């Protein structure tokens, strides 16, 4: 009991090493059940013998249990078939991990190729968008280049024609308001020495002062002439002899109406200018007066100019609409392609996230493969087996204390409790202190 701990360890090691190897051979030759019984009995007898040599000392038991654990490791290491069976699950898991890593690697490569294809599609769509934008800008200048049957520069011509049409329209409004008022409603003062003008600057306001009928008439009569001009334009859309006759008839009506206005105004002015009371105003006299023709030319000729400009503006508007429609079609194509690009970009983000997840999983799988390889390269210590044989060893140790050491019962019980405590500490230190029958402890030798 007073020998040094170092000598006890050497003594224990010598005891373990001096065990014959024949029982191990017998274990492999006999059936598993008898081999286990022989092994259990061997550990029990070894515990009894080691206890007798060390007088059941619990401190020495701790050292002996570590030696027993090393002995158990060596025995398990020599049991190749058993180790292979214990490692089979880890080998299968490792193979599965290898397969998963390989599959994920191939998947990452395929996804990388898919990313390249999607990026190529995006570049193609972006190039198409740039081409469509260039076509939109170039369409007004070169419509024939894009098989569009429209006049080059239609938009510019349209705006120029519109700028001319607006003041001409205002002129016609002014002219017909004034002449219609002067022809039908204006009161000429015979006693006045002042010869009235053809146009009255205050015709509009005076007509409304005279009454709502007079005001409405002079206000709306310009729209009649503009309506006639619109009809002439519409009939001119379809080229046919019937439409040409209608156009000629409308021009004749406009001319006759202007003649009526000019005749009415000149007749009333003539009444103020005539000297001889016997002289009567007639159509012949009207044709000889320059103011009569001035009224006709100031109205009918300008009206013809307005009709030509209006027809030109409408024609250019149609040409501009053709170009505008083509531009609208290309704008819609751009929006469609942009939606495709956005969808493809979302796909690229999803694929990139999937690749990152796969890479993270591969890193984890490779880490697990290394862990499994460490287990496969090491020695697997079955927890339930070590607890079984260690308990047999401790039982042998305690049996000696109970049978051979002559001390008081209370002291003997204290020694037994101390030995059991050392046993539990040993199980805790080697990782075998668990109730899970399937748990294993790994030790690299």
């Amino acid at each position: 009991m007073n020998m040094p701990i170092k000598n006890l360890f050497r003594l224990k090691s010598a005891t373990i090493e001096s065990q014959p190897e024949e029982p191990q051979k017998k274990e492999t030759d006999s059936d598993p059940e008898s081999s286990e019984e022989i092994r259990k009995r061997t550990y029990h007898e070894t515990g009894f013998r080691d206890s007798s040599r060390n007088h059941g000392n619990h401190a020495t038991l701790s050292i002996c249990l570590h030696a027993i654990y090393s002995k158990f490791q060596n025995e398990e290491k020599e049991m190749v078939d058993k180790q292979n069976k214990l490692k089979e699950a880890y080998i299968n898991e490792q193979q599965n991990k290898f397969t998963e890593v390989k599959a994920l690697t191939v998947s990452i490569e395929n996804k990388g190729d898919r990313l390249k294809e999607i990026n190529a599609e995006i570049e193609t769509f972006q190039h198409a968008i740039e081409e469509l934008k260039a076509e939109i800008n170039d369409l007004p200048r070169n419509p024939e280049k894009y098989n569009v049957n429209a006049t080059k520069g239609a938009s510019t011509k349209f705006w120029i024609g519109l700028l001319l049409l607006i003041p001409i329209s205002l002129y016609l409004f002014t002219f017909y308001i004034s002449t219609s008022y002067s022809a039908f409603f204006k009161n000429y003062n015979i006693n006045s020495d002042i010869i009235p003008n053809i146009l009255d600057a205050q015709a509009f306001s005076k007509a409304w002062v005279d009454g709502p009928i007079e005001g409405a008439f002079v206000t709306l009569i310009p729209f009649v002439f503009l309506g006639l001009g619109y009809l002439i334009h519409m009939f001119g859309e379809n080229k046919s002899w019937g439409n040409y006759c209608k156009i000629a008839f409308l021009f004749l009506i406009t001319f006759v109406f202007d003649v009526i206005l000019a005749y009415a105004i000149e007749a009333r002015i003539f009444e103020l200018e005539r000297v001889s009371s016997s002289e009567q105003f007639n159509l012949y006299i009207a044709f000889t007066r320059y103011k009569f023709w001035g009224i006709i030319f100031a109205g009918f000729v300008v009206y013809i100019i307005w009709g030509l400009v209006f027809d030109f503006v409408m024609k250019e508007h149609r040409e501009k609409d053709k170009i505008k429609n083509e531009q609208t079609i290309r704008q819609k194509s751009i929006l469609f392609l942009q939606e495709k690009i956005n969808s493809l970009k979302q796909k690229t983000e999803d694929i990139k996230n999937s690749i990152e997840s796969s890479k993270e999983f591969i890193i984890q799988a490779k880490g697990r493969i290394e862990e499994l390889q460490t287990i496969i390269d090491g020695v697997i210590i079955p927890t339930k087996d070590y607890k079984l044989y260690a308990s047999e060893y401790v039982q042998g140790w305690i049996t000696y204390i109970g049978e051979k050491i002559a001390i008081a019962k209370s002291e003997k019980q204290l020694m037994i409790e101390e030995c059991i405590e050392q046993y539990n500490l040993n199980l805790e230190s080697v990782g075998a202190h668990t109730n899970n029958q399937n748990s294993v402890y790994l030790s690299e030798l």
Side-chain angles (χ1 to χ4, degrees):
M1 291 294 293
N2 296 327
M3 66 177 63
I5 293 177
K6 183 177 180 181
N7 293 336
L8 289 175
F9 181 78
R10 288 177 179 174
L11 178 63
K12 181 60 185 168
S13 299
T15 302
I16 293 174
E17 291 172 358
S18 64
Q19 295 299 320
E21 295 183 0
E22 291 184 1
Q24 295 293 332
K25 294 180 181 179
K26 290 180 181 180
E27 287 181 14
T28 58
D29 296 336
S30 58
D31 60 278
E33 187 176 355
S34 60
S35 298
E36 183 179 350
E37 292 298 326
I38 292 172
R39 193 178 182 189
K40 287 167 63 178
R41 185 169 61 253
T42 300
Y43 274 85
H44 186 90
E45 291 173 353
T46 302
F48 186 89
R49 184 172 60 252
D50 290 347
S51 181
S52 66
R53 293 174 179 176
N54 297 284
H55 304 286
N57 185 275
H58 68 278
T60 308
L61 174 61
S62 175
I63 299 173
C64 292
L65 282 174
H66 283 293
I68 287 297
Y69 182 71
S70 297
K71 174 188 175 183
F72 182 78
Q73 282 182 318
N74 291 328
E75 290 176 353
E76 292 296 323
K77 185 177 181 180
E78 296 299 326
M79 298 178 183
V80 178
D81 293 338
K82 183 177 180 181
Q83 284 294 310
N84 290 338
K85 186 175 181 181
L86 290 172
K87 295 176 181 179
E88 184 176 354
Y90 300 102
I91 293 173
N92 292 336
E93 183 183 354
Q94 189 184 53
Q95 291 299 324
N96 291 335
K97 292 295 180 182
F98 275 124
T99 303
E100 291 176 1
V101 169
K102 185 176 180 180
L104 286 173
T105 302
V106 173
S107 176
I108 289 174
E109 292 176 356
N110 293 336
K111 290 175 181 177
D113 294 338
R114 179 57 182 156
L115 276 178
K116 292 179 181 179
E117 293 175 359
I118 292 176
N119 288 331
E121 289 182 31
I122 291 175
E123 290 181 1
T124 301
F125 290 151
Q126 288 176 338
H127 181 68
I129 288 175
E130 294 302 322
E131 288 183 348
L132 289 171
K133 288 181 178 179
E135 289 181 9
I136 289 173
N137 294 329
D138 193 44
L139 264 168
R141 295 187 293 269
N142 301 297
E144 69 282 352
K145 180 179 177 181
Y146 308 100
N147 298 320
V148 179
N149 187 19
T151 305
K152 187 185 298 185
S155 181
T156 303
K157 295 177 182 178
F158 168 78
W159 290 112
I160 293 174
L162 186 62
L163 289 176
L164 293 174
L165 185 64
I166 292 173
I168 295 174
S169 299
L170 294 175
Y171 168 83
L172 289 176
F173 266 85
T174 303
F175 175 80
Y176 282 110
I177 288 173
S178 179
T179 54
S180 61
Y181 176 76
S182 297
F184 300 111
F185 305 112
K186 185 175 182 180
N187 293 322
Y188 293 91
N189 189 357
I190 299 176
N191 297 320
S192 175
D193 294 332
I194 301 174
I195 304 300
N197 293 324
I198 298 173
L199 300 178
D200 192 332
Q202 298 179 344
F204 184 78
S205 59
K206 288 179 179 179
W208 283 102
V209 170
D210 292 343
I213 300 298
E214 292 83 349
F217 181 84
V218 298
T219 302
L220 299 176
I221 196 168
F223 291 98
V224 175
F225 290 92
L226 297 181
L228 291 172
Y230 180 76
L231 289 175
I232 292 171
H233 166 74
M234 294 304 295
F235 287 136
E237 290 286 321
N238 298 319
K239 310 298 181 182
S240 66
W241 286 106
N243 286 339
Y244 290 149
C245 293
K246 293 176 184 178
I247 292 172
F249 180 71
L250 292 174
F251 272 116
L252 181 60
I253 291 176
T254 306
F255 179 75
V256 170
F257 195 87
D258 284 342
V259 170
I260 293 171
L261 289 176
Y263 185 87
I265 294 172
E266 279 299 308
R268 304 183 74 175
I269 294 175
F270 180 80
E271 291 294 329
L272 297 177
E273 293 178 341
R274 72 178 180 171
V275 178
S276 175
S277 60
S278 61
E279 189 180 9
Q280 296 293 325
F281 186 78
N282 53 40
L283 192 59
Y284 175 79
I285 295 174
F287 285 165
T288 61
R289 295 175 68 89
Y290 74 92
K291 290 184 179 180
F292 173 82
W293 293 107
I295 295 173
I296 292 175
F297 278 92
F300 184 71
V301 174
V302 175
Y303 173 79
I304 292 175
I305 295 172
W306 178 89
L308 293 174
V309 175
F310 178 77
D311 185 70
F312 174 81
V313 169
M314 295 300 293
K315 179 182 177 182
E316 295 304 317
H317 185 266
R318 285 196 306 273
E319 300 298 313
K320 188 170 69 72
D321 279 348
K322 292 179 183 178
I323 296 173
K324 187 66 175 179
N325 289 336
E326 292 296 327
Q327 290 176 324
T328 302
I329 291 172
R330 285 161 175 75
Q331 287 287 0
K332 291 181 179 179
S333 298
I334 290 173
L335 292 176
F336 175 75
L337 292 175
Q338 191 60 53
E339 289 177 0
K340 293 283 290 183
I341 289 174
N342 293 337
S343 177
L344 290 174
K345 285 183 178 180
Q346 183 60 46
K347 284 184 180 179
T348 58
E349 290 299 321
D350 294 339
I351 292 174
K352 288 179 181 179
N353 292 335
S354 178
I355 290 175
E356 291 300 320
S357 299
S358 298
K359 287 182 178 179
E360 291 178 2
F361 187 87
I362 287 175
I363 293 173
Q364 295 175 358
K366 287 183 176 180
R368 180 58 179 166
I369 288 172
E370 293 178 358
E371 293 176 359
L372 292 170
Q373 189 61 47
T374 303
I375 294 173
I376 293 169
D377 293 339
V379 179
I380 297 177
I381 307 300
T383 300
K384 61 179 182 179
D385 290 356
Y386 175 70
K387 288 176 65 177
L388 173 65
Y389 297 120
S391 65
E392 288 293 337
Y393 180 83
V394 173
Q395 287 178 17
W397 188 285
I398 293 174
T399 299
Y400 174 80
I401 294 175
E403 294 179 356
K404 301 300 182 179
I405 297 180
I407 55 176
K409 186 176 181 180
S410 58
E411 293 181 6
K412 187 178 292 187
Q413 184 64 33
L414 180 61
M415 287 184 66
I416 292 172
E417 291 177 356
E418 289 174 344
C419 289
I420 293 173
E421 182 179 357
Q422 290 299 324
Y423 166 70
N424 291 327
L425 290 174
N426 176 259
L427 293 181
E428 188 73 32
S429 65
V430 299
H433 198 284
T434 176
N435 293 324
N436 189 352
Q437 296 298 312
N438 296 321
S439 62
V440 295
Y441 177 76
L442 172 65
S443 176
E444 294 182 325
L445 299 180

